[in-house]
Amino acid sequence: MDSNIENNNKKPILEAINLSKRYEDNALALDNVSFTIHPGEIFAMLGGNGAGKTTTINLFLNLIEPTSGDCKIDGVSCVSKPLEAKKKVAYVSENVMLYPDFTAMQNLDFFIKLGGRMNLSKDEYKSVLKRVGLQEDAFNKKLKGFSKGMRQKCGIAISILKDAPAILLDEPTSGLDPKAGAEFVNLLKELKKEGKAILMSTHDIFRAKDVADTIGIMNKGQLVMKKKQSEIHNEDLEQLYIKYMAGYMENAA
Amino acid sequence: MLKLIVIKELKNIIQSPKFTATFTTLSVLLLLSFYIGINEYKYSLEQYNTATLLANDRVKDTRSWMGVSYSTYREPKPLQYLVGGINNDIGRYSTIVHSDEVKLRNSAYSDDPLFALFRNIDFSSIAMIVFSLFAILFSYNAINGEKEEGTLKLIFSNSVPRAKYIIGKIVGSWLGLVVPLLIPILLGLLLLLINNIYLNGTEWLSLVSLIFISIVYLTFFIALGTLVSSVTKSSVASFMILLVLWIVTVFIIPRVGVMSAAQMVEVPTISQIESQQDAYSKDRWQIYMDELSDKWEKRRAAMAGMTDEEKEAYEDDMSYAWMEEDDKARKQVEKDIADYNQKLNEDYVKRKIVLEQLALNFSRISPASLFQLAAMNLATSDIELKHRYEESMREYKNRFMDFAEKKQEESGESGMFTIKMSSDGGFKLNDGRQEGGLDVSELPKYVSPKQNYASLLNSIILDSVLLIIYSVICFGIAFAAFLRFDVR
Ligand SMILES: Nc1ncnc2c1ncn2[C@@H]1O[C@H](COP(=O)(O)OP(=O)(O)OP(=O)(O)O)[C@@H](O)[C@H]1O
Ligand SMILES: [Mg+2]
């Protein structure tokens, strides 16, 4: 409860304001979505395939333009000032892809400098790679031999090292083994303590319940449910999820 | 940030296994082209020196300045062995003799047809085929490949302006391909030095320009690859498109250019012209011989009924007049033949120039043609090579003939044939030979046509500028396309 009071006093880091996106083929992928995420808050987006989670994240990264509405990072519009907004956000995609002929360290070096942090030492890279659980003998190996989970860990390391106030995670735990998944949850908790605002899309209801402060359920482009974790602690999130999905379908029918 | 992107791109190219493989192959081919060129040049130079000496010896052994014949040789130039052009297709010497046209004969290929197999292993052919392929291999997926790999999305999740990124990528990939390429090229130049191949100042400048032009040519294909990869979705598609474009620009257009132009203007081939000339000269001499026997018929008829003594006296009286008459007729024949040949040649040259211009201008839509034309001009193995040498040899022939005539007058030769008709029939020729050989010390020297760097530069300016314009256009379109490229 304390954290909620705290949050309300601070200004939000991530804001979606009546965000809509219609693709060229006329499918409304995102329908009037609004939410805010404050420093030290984790927002977990649940929803079936094609619900609009990746679309939301792409809008924050200005990889696509919204049909209407706006989204802001730390008060800066991602639509009108994308370059400035992107300085304040780190991103991990659902399938992290890095340069296959570069080693983990070289990839880190390039993407971190691209993110604007020019003066980090090799030791700092290594300590973060250790922190995300990448085995040490892989640090100087070329990426093309890496498994999906190992790539995912590198991507997470890059997002941590960027040290931005906002973090966008698109199914970050996909491909991680159970141990790495659990470690990642701890990592998220640390980042939350550092005051990051985190938007995470996931299919993992249990982890979402464990780590998230706010849970949103998306269906066909609409944010059909948004609840504080404290509001749902006694309910079974899985039941809720199925209820909302079904309920939406009944409504739609 | 630009520097960061440039270095990333450079490293990405150099660290790839694809690079190791293609770069090694390319280096071996380049060095091989230098090695073969150097050896061919040395061999040709030796042949040239021996042949020139022999030609001088032959003049020395001749006993009369009358009807003396000499041979002038085309001096091999080192760059012609890096850029073959038409060097091996055209003749290497011409005989300088009163009775015949100046004409280059005996090409290296006619001498040794096996040699023609190595036509495509000179530096310019290697550069034309391999540089372009090399550039395409590394740029066909420059943009869409990064999208397929997924790195583009992560890059643009950062505060990176697209313009900066594409410029950094182009500069980086250019450096990544060109800088390593300088290593085998410099090694090739080192081979020239080790082998004591002498290049004069103009030739050094031309060689440096040749390297520059090859790099511009390579740059064009990097630009083309980047362009295609930024307007297609998949790297497989862009590779196929580029492969087709490569075949069309490197193999088809340079050839179709000549063929289609040939259909527009009908030009007889050289052998057609030669056979026409031969036929005319044969006919003309036949007429001369017929007239000559008619004349003798009449002369003998005039002597009919004379005693042997009267005949001899009559012949003695008339011989000078007859000789003059016959000589005049012979000279007329030579003049007629020369005039005819000249007319045919002029016609041929005129039509050929039209044809060449058409073909060249058409083929200039292909960067490979532009490169080849510029390279040939720099190495002086261009299509004008034959013309230049024949012109200068013709000019030399005039000097040579004047000299021979002067010598002949000094030595008091009559300069005319005396033709004796013996009673047993048949002619007897007497050309009044001089005993012993000729003094060749004052013989005018033949010097190869010289070209200075300014005129060479002038001859490549159009093609170089076009090549640069093509590259800039491709880069421009690639740039504009990338600003609108969907990086997801
Ligand atoms: N480039 C595109 N063009 C047209 N439609 C698209 C495009 N990208 C996504 N869509 C559509 O937008 C909708 C939302 O897609 P989105 O990728 O945001 O879903 P998601 O929630 O991330 O799903 P998943 O869980 O499978 O990752 C889907 O119906 C999809 O078909
Ligand atoms: Mg998705």
Side-chain angles (χ1 to χ4, degrees):
Chain A
M1 283 297 126
D2 288 349
S3 68
N4 279 345
I5 295 159
E6 216 180 315
N7 281 342
N8 291 337
N9 296 337
K10 285 182 189 166
K11 69 179 172 71
I13 297 294
L14 288 164
E15 284 173 273
I17 306 154
N18 303 325
L19 211 48
S20 295
K21 172 68 188 176
R22 190 184 288 279
Y23 284 106
E24 291 81 22
D25 58 2
N26 270 333
L28 197 58
L30 215 57
D31 188 359
N32 205 26
V33 169
S34 299
F35 57 79
T36 55
I37 306 171
H38 290 84
E41 182 183 357
I42 298 178
F43 182 99
M45 256 194 302
L46 296 172
N49 296 125
K53 305 182 293 294
T54 300
T55 301
T56 309
I57 288 174
N58 284 344
L59 283 166
F60 274 101
L61 295 172
N62 191 240
L63 298 178
I64 46 177
E65 299 270 324
T67 309
S68 65
D70 197 0
C71 47
K72 290 181 180 172
I73 303 173
D74 201 11
V76 180
S77 164
C78 302
V79 183
S80 54
K81 289 179 180 168
L83 289 178
E84 203 182 313
K86 283 195 271 189
K87 282 182 188 156
K88 300 162 189 270
V89 67
Y91 162 70
V92 181
S93 78
E94 49 197 313
N95 189 4
V96 172
M97 297 303 271
L98 303 169
Y99 289 104
D101 285 315
F102 281 8
T103 64
M105 291 289 280
Q106 285 176 324
N107 267 300
L108 236 61
D109 189 59
F110 171 65
F111 282 103
I112 286 157
K113 284 181 174 159
L114 202 65
R117 302 197 68 198
M118 308 298 286
N119 302 316
L120 292 180
S121 70
K122 292 267 177 306
D123 288 339
E124 281 167 287
Y125 295 167
K126 281 181 186 161
S127 77
V128 173
L129 281 176
K130 261 183 238 165
R131 195 172 153 200
V132 297
L134 188 71
Q135 60 266 43
E136 240 168 286
D137 61 354
F139 288 7
N140 287 307
K141 285 207 178 116
K142 286 193 175 186
L143 248 284
K144 61 183 158 203
F146 279 29
S147 70
K148 182 169 188 279
M150 287 162 82
R151 289 203 311 269
Q152 214 64 20
K153 288 172 182 173
C154 291
I156 293 164
I158 290 169
S159 72
I160 292 172
L161 280 163
K162 190 172 178 183
D163 196 25
I167 303 178
L168 304 173
L169 305 167
D170 199 351
E171 297 178 38
T173 51
S174 69
L176 293 185
D177 58 43
K179 181 172 163 277
E183 283 169 0
F184 180 69
V185 168
N186 291 331
L187 199 69
L188 277 184
K189 287 177 179 164
E190 286 173 36
L191 291 170
K192 172 182 151 79
K193 258 188 222 139
E194 287 171 25
K196 310 286 186 203
I198 299 172
L199 170 63
M200 173 172 80
S201 91
T202 182
H203 292 296
D204 189 337
I205 295 172
F206 304 102
R207 258 192 206 117
K209 195 181 162 194
D210 179 17
V211 76
D213 300 285
T214 315
I215 290 170
I217 295 178
M218 293 200 70
N219 195 340
K220 297 196 173 163
Q222 292 180 340
L223 190 59
V224 289
M225 184 209 92
K226 190 174 75 178
K227 282 190 174 175
K228 294 281 172 221
Q229 199 215 27
S230 50
E231 296 173 66
I232 51 173
H233 58 104
N234 284 328
E235 291 179 69
D236 187 340
L237 184 57
E238 198 178 11
Q239 293 296 318
L240 211 58
Y241 179 74
I242 291 165
K243 195 184 96 190
Y244 270 100
M245 301 286 275
Y248 184 82
M249 275 179 220
E250 273 161 27
N251 290 347
Chain B
M1 182 189 289
L2 195 61
K3 193 175 148 206
L4 181 70
I5 298 165
V6 168
I7 291 172
K8 182 271 294 181
E9 192 62 31
L10 218 158
K11 271 206 250 171
N12 197 23
I13 286 178
I14 292 173
Q15 286 188 6
S16 67
K18 182 168 79 175
F19 180 80
T20 320
T22 50
F23 178 65
T24 313
T25 319
L26 183 62
S27 302
V28 169
L29 285 173
L30 275 184
L31 286 175
L32 198 67
S33 76
F34 271 94
Y35 177 79
I36 290 176
I38 287 168
N39 282 310
E40 271 176 14
Y41 170 67
K42 279 182 167 172
Y43 175 68
S44 310
L45 196 63
E46 220 167 87
Q47 270 191 328
Y48 165 79
N49 287 333
T50 322
T52 318
L53 284 179
L54 281 175
N56 283 331
D57 285 352
R58 267 204 308 278
V59 176
K60 266 187 227 159
D61 289 345
T62 313
R63 278 184 297 159
S64 164
W65 284 108
M66 240 277 307
V68 67
S69 94
Y70 187 51
S71 297
T72 46
Y73 290 84
R74 200 151 60 74
E75 189 185 351
K77 305 279 184 200
L79 293 193
Q80 291 171 338
Y81 294 83
L82 293 179
V83 184
I86 63 158
N87 183 40
N88 288 327
D89 297 87
I90 64 171
R92 287 170 295 179
Y93 77 92
S94 171
T95 41
I96 302 292
V97 60
H98 190 75
S99 60
D100 203 359
E101 284 277 296
V102 165
K103 193 163 152 299
L104 285 172
R105 283 162 219 279
N106 198 351
S107 73
Y109 288 161
S110 71
D111 213 19
D112 183 0
L114 201 66
F115 199 52
L117 285 178
F118 296 105
R119 176 189 279 277
N120 284 333
I121 204 137
D122 64 329
F123 172 81
S124 70
S125 310
I126 298 262
M128 186 164 117
I129 295 167
V130 187
F131 279 24
S132 48
L133 206 55
F134 182 61
I136 284 175
L137 224 47
F138 282 89
S139 59
Y140 79 93
N141 60 353
I143 306 296
N144 55 17
E146 272 216 77
K147 179 184 170 164
E148 285 170 345
E149 278 179 4
T151 42
L152 223 42
K153 199 173 168 186
L154 187 53
I155 286 166
F156 287 104
S157 74
N158 290 294
S159 177
V160 180
R162 285 185 177 218
K164 232 182 209 177
Y165 188 71
I166 179 82
I167 288 170
K169 228 181 133 61
I170 288 170
V171 173
S173 56
W174 189 83
L175 289 174
L177 296 180
V178 170
V179 173
L181 209 61
L182 293 177
I183 298 166
I185 290 178
L186 288 177
L187 286 177
L189 297 186
L190 200 65
L191 269 184
L192 285 176
L193 294 178
I194 290 171
N195 281 279
N196 285 320
I197 305 297
Y198 172 78
L199 297 184
N200 62 31
T202 303
E203 284 165 339
W204 274 116
L205 283 173
S206 299
L207 187 53
V208 171
S209 313
L210 177 63
I211 292 168
F212 172 77
I213 287 286
S214 348
I215 290 171
V216 175
Y217 176 70
L218 178 83
T219 307
F220 167 79
F221 279 94
I222 297 176
L224 185 69
T226 314
L227 161 62
V228 175
S229 82
S230 62
V231 294
T232 45
K233 283 214 172 86
S234 84
S235 57
V236 178
S238 59
F239 189 73
M240 297 312 285
I241 292 172
L242 281 164
L243 205 61
V244 171
L245 287 177
W246 179 70
I247 292 170
V248 170
T249 48
V250 176
F251 293 102
I252 297 180
I253 297 177
R255 271 158 219 181
V256 168
V258 179
M259 268 154 44
S260 60
Q263 280 163 355
M264 287 181 241
V265 185
E266 205 181 301
V267 172
T269 65
I270 295 201
S271 63
Q272 269 175 300
I273 288 197
E274 273 172 10
S275 63
Q276 254 172 295
Q277 289 174 338
D278 286 349
Y280 179 81
S281 129
K282 206 171 140 230
D283 286 353
R284 192 63 188 81
W285 280 113
Q286 190 55 54
I287 293 169
Y288 168 76
M289 293 310 278
D290 292 348
E291 283 172 359
L292 196 64
S293 26
D294 282 354
K295 268 185 248 166
W296 279 103
E297 209 67 58
K298 277 182 202 142
R299 286 168 194 169
R300 248 176 294 172
M303 289 187 287
M306 289 184 189
T307 65
D308 281 357
E309 274 167 29
E310 280 170 336
K311 270 185 194 170
E312 208 164 308
Y314 182 74
E315 270 179 17
D316 279 350
D317 272 357
M318 297 302 288
S319 75
Y320 192 75
W322 285 348
M323 198 175 70
E324 254 192 347
E325 189 189 351
D326 293 348
D327 196 54
K328 214 176 126 202
R330 185 179 55 82
K331 281 194 168 143
Q332 186 58 46
V333 174
E334 280 173 5
K335 190 175 171 297
D336 285 354
I337 291 174
D339 287 352
Y340 182 80
N341 285 353
Q342 198 184 345
K343 192 185 144 289
L344 274 192
N345 279 338
E346 274 169 10
D347 263 18
Y348 174 73
V349 167
K350 253 187 243 156
R351 279 193 277 179
K352 202 165 96 70
I353 287 172
V354 174
L355 170 80
E356 274 171 5
Q357 282 313 316
L358 271 174
L360 292 186
N361 286 337
F362 174 78
S363 72
R364 280 194 165 98
I365 57 171
S366 156
S369 304
L370 293 176
F371 168 68
Q372 192 70 8
L373 289 173
M376 280 161 64
N377 277 323
L378 284 171
T380 68
S381 54
D382 53 297
I383 37 185
E384 289 299 310
L385 177 65
K386 184 169 189 257
H387 180 68
R388 266 201 311 278
Y389 267 89
E390 286 188 342
E391 197 80 327
S392 89
M393 285 178 179
R394 230 166 259 142
E395 184 269 333
Y396 174 74
K397 182 184 167 184
N398 291 340
R399 273 193 293 144
F400 181 87
M401 287 305 156
D402 288 350
F403 176 78
E405 208 167 296
K406 203 182 90 202
K407 280 286 174 188
Q408 193 185 322
E409 274 164 19
E410 280 171 14
S411 67
E413 291 175 38
S414 67
M416 286 178 197
F417 286 104
T418 37
I419 303 167
K420 280 215 163 174
M421 175 74 189
S422 77
S423 44
D424 356 313
F427 306 105
K428 210 172 183 196
L429 293 167
N430 179 9
D431 59 357
R433 274 168 197 269
Q434 184 181 313
E435 287 304 310
L438 298 178
D439 175 17
V440 295
S441 59
E442 289 164 62
L443 196 69
K445 285 254 169 315
Y446 172 67
V447 269
S448 318
K450 291 263 175 310
Q451 274 175 299
N452 59 7
Y453 187 65
S455 75
L456 285 179
L457 205 60
N458 208 31
S459 67
I460 64 160
I461 206 89
L462 169 69
D463 295 325
S464 320
V465 167
L466 274 179
L467 202 51
I468 292 172
I469 290 176
Y470 287 2
S471 311
V472 169
I473 289 175
C474 284
F475 277 134
I477 299 174
F479 182 86
F482 186 70
L483 296 184
R484 253 163 265 119
F485 192 77
D486 184 357
V487 300
R488 284 173 305 148

